[in-house]
């Protein structure tokens, strides 16, 4: 079975550029989560969706960050404009609705903003 | 609100030593508890879980028991191997109305096992 698929795995960009990270959740999973991981802050929940609807975006750091889930099999996290402090590993995770809460993580997208 | 507190790392052990990583939690409801493991360059993956009080989760020689009275879920392994070197995250999941799950992670504990 395919797991959660993220792309790109690595992205290096310059400050001010737009960055788009992509995620394909496991088929049949209704909930999707975006996390950011850094050495300083650990694992932070940015936003999560249920049935393609954003339920909680209180973790999105600022207006430069936006996330969409146009359908059940695809989500994007966009940063515009990017800044060096956005450098981190961004993880996508999914889980079935009404589950016990076990999350299935992708391998992450490592973003470096110069 | 919900929170998870786990011991600071890094933890350095010799191969075949006994491992304990402490985890305590605060939750308003009746959460499920999890340990996730993250190997270098990879995403988190579920190691074990327990869904109610007194349940014991186990996998790959690791164990943790859901202790409601002490609000704890300590991770243990009797004999660690070099291949266990990773970052370990304690987490809880609380059900919200509508069937949504709110998942809260601890800060992670890095384990290094030396030969």
């Amino acid at each position: 079975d395919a797991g959660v698929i993220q792309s790109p795995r690595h992205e290096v960009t310059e400050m001010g550029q737009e960055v788009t990270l992509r995620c394909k959740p496991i088929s049949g999973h209704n909930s999707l989560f975006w996390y950011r991981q850094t050495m300083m802050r650990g694992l932070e929940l940015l936003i999560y969706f249920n049935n393609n609807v954003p339920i909680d975006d209180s973790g999105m750091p600022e207006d430069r960050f936006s996330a969409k889930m146009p359908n059940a099999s695809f989500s994007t996290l966009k940063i515009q404009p990017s800044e060096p402090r956005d450098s981190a590993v961004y993880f996508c995770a999914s889980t079935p609705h009404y589950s016990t809460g076990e999350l299935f993580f992708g391998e992450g997208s490592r973003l470096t903003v110069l | 609100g919900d929170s998870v507190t786990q011991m600071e790392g890094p933890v350095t052990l010799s191969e075949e030593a006994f491992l304990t990583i402490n985890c305590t939690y605060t939750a308003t409801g009746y959460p499920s508890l999890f340990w996730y493991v993250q190997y270098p360059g990879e995403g988190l993956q579920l190691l074990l879980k327990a869904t109610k009080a007194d349940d014991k989760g186990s996998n790959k020689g690791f164990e943790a028991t859901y202790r409601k009275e002490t609000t704890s879920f300590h991770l243990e392994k009797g004999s660690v191997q070099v291949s266990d070197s990773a970052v370990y995250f304690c987490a809880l999941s609380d059900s919200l109305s509508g069937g949504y799950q709110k998942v809260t992670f601890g800060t992670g504990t890095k384990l290094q096992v030396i030969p």
Side-chain angles (χ1 to χ4, degrees):
Chain A
D1 288 342
V4 175
I5 299 171
Q6 293 187 243
S7 65
R9 289 295 311 279
H10 302 276
E11 173 96 0
V12 180
T13 191
E14 294 191 343
M15 183 173 63
Q17 296 299 305
E18 179 179 292
V19 173
T20 299
L21 307 178
R22 298 172 178 81
C23 175
K24 177 178 168 52
I26 293 173
S27 177
H29 283 193
N30 305 82
S31 297
L32 183 141
F33 304 76
W34 282 102
Y35 285 87
R36 178 171 69 176
Q37 187 179 38
T38 60
M39 290 291 291
M40 293 296 293
R41 296 167 142 331
L43 199 62
E44 301 174 277
L45 176 64
L46 301 178
I47 185 170
Y48 80 90
F49 295 84
N50 195 72
N51 289 331
N52 313 337
V53 176
I55 302 300
D56 184 354
D57 65 355
S58 60
M60 295 286 264
E62 47 197 278
D63 291 346
R64 298 185 297 106
F65 286 70
S66 62
K68 293 182 180 179
M69 192 164 185
N71 57 61
S73 59
F74 183 67
S75 177
T76 59
L77 178 67
K78 187 175 291 188
I79 308 172
Q80 167 62 22
S82 57
E83 297 183 4
R85 60 193 167 120
D86 302 330
S87 298
V89 181
Y90 292 81
F91 288 103
C92 177
S94 68
T95 190
H97 196 41
Y98 288 104
S99 75
T100 57
E102 175 185 348
L103 298 183
F104 295 79
F105 282 81
E107 294 188 316
S109 294
R110 179 175 293 277
L111 172 65
T112 303
V113 183
L114 303 174
Chain B
D2 295 347
S3 67
V4 175
T5 302
Q6 57 182 110
M7 60 189 289
E8 293 282 332
V11 173
T12 302
L13 295 174
S14 297
E15 205 166 20
E16 299 183 2
F18 185 85
L19 169 71
T20 299
I21 300 178
N22 291 337
C23 172
T24 57
Y25 68 91
T26 303
T28 51
Y30 299 93
S32 296
L33 302 175
F34 306 84
W35 277 101
Y36 286 83
V37 59
Q38 183 180 30
Y39 299 103
E42 298 183 10
L44 282 71
Q45 54 186 275
L46 181 70
L47 179 59
L48 54 85
K49 68 179 180 183
T51 58
K52 61 183 188 299
D54 299 326
D55 269 4
K56 177 186 282 188
S58 61
N59 185 27
K60 298 182 181 179
F62 291 89
E63 292 182 341
T65 301
Y66 190 140
R67 301 283 189 203
K68 191 168 185 287
E69 63 277 13
T70 55
T71 62
S72 65
F73 193 56
H74 305 321
L75 182 68
E76 297 183 335
K77 186 176 185 182
S79 176
V80 294
Q81 305 300 312
V82 172
S83 56
D84 295 326
S85 298
V87 181
Y88 293 82
F89 292 87
C90 185
L92 70 82
S93 175
D94 218 346
S95 295
L96 305 177
S97 60
Y100 310 128
Q101 296 290 332
K102 180 181 177 184
V103 182
T104 304
F105 283 89
T107 53
T109 302
K110 184 175 182 178
L111 170 66
Q112 182 177 14
V113 180
I114 53 179

